[in-house]
Amino acid sequence: MSTPAEKAAAYLTRLEADRRAALAVSEAKAEEAKLIKARMEGFEEALEILGVQTSLSVIEVVPNKAPPRRRNIPQLILHELSFSGKAMAKEQIARSIDYLPWQTERALRRLESFEKTVQNMAGRWEVVTSTVAQTNGHAVTATN
C-alpha cells in the first residue's frame, strides 16, 4: 500500500493533468467558437442575398418575396427611350423604370459618355440613333 504522501502526490499529479487538459480544451473551444462565428456570418450574408430576414434569436422568412436581383438600368433606359419615340425628362424615365431620379441621371450621363444618349437643349434625354447608309457602290449625289 502507498503512503499518504504518495497518495497526495498522485492526486496532485492527476489534478495538474486535468488542469492542462481543461486549458487545452478551452483553447480548442475558443478556436472552435471563432470558426463557428465566421460560419454564422457567412450564412447570414447568404440569407440576406436570398431575402431572408435574420436575428440572433429568431430566423424569419419573408413570404412572397423573391430574392433581389440586379436590373440592367442602362438597358432599361435605352428601351424606354426607344419605345417612347420622344425625348423624356430624367424624372419621367426614373418613374417609368421605377428607379431613383439621381441614379437615373447618373446612368444617363454614363450612357451619354458612350454616345448612346444625348440631352437636348430643353434638358430632355433622347436615344442616339445611328443610321447606316446603304450603298450600291455608286456615289451619292443630289440628283440620285
Side-chain angles (χ1 to χ4, degrees):
M1 240 181 104
S2 58
T3 66
E6 291 173 340
K7 287 182 183 180
Y11 182 71
L12 283 175
T13 303
R14 282 195 310 268
L15 284 177
E16 180 61 20
D18 288 344
R19 185 184 74 80
R20 288 185 185 190
L23 284 174
V25 167
S26 295
E27 291 171 4
K29 287 293 182 186
E31 193 65 35
E32 183 181 2
K34 288 179 189 176
L35 293 172
I36 290 171
K37 183 177 180 183
R39 285 182 16 213
M40 281 177 52
E41 290 170 352
F43 191 72
E44 287 173 349
E45 287 180 21
L47 288 176
E48 281 182 38
I49 291 170
L50 295 173
V52 177
Q53 302 294 326
T54 62
S55 75
L56 291 178
S57 60
V58 177
I59 294 178
E60 174 185 331
V61 176
V62 178
N64 299 328
K65 185 175 180 184
R69 63 177 236 251
R70 292 181 61 92
R71 298 184 303 153
N72 188 339
I73 298 302
Q75 183 182 21
L76 290 173
I77 290 172
L78 291 174
H79 280 246
E80 188 61 36
L81 288 171
S82 296
F83 289 130
S84 73
K86 59 182 178 164
M88 296 174 71
K90 75 172 178 191
E91 290 81 12
Q92 290 174 305
I93 299 167
R95 210 174 18 258
S96 66
I97 64 171
D98 192 26
Y99 204 53
L100 299 170
W102 69 273
Q103 291 280 41
T104 302
E105 183 174 16
R106 199 170 115 191
L108 283 162
R109 296 274 179 218
R110 199 172 318 121
L111 286 167
E112 184 178 38
S113 72
F114 291 116
E115 299 177 355
K116 301 282 185 180
T117 61
V118 65
Q119 191 173 21
N120 66 20
M121 297 300 283
R124 295 182 174 268
W125 291 90
E126 302 176 57
V127 68
V128 174
T129 56
S130 60
T131 56
V132 178
Q134 296 180 356
T135 63
N136 58 4
H138 298 287
V140 178
T141 63
T143 58
N144 60 0

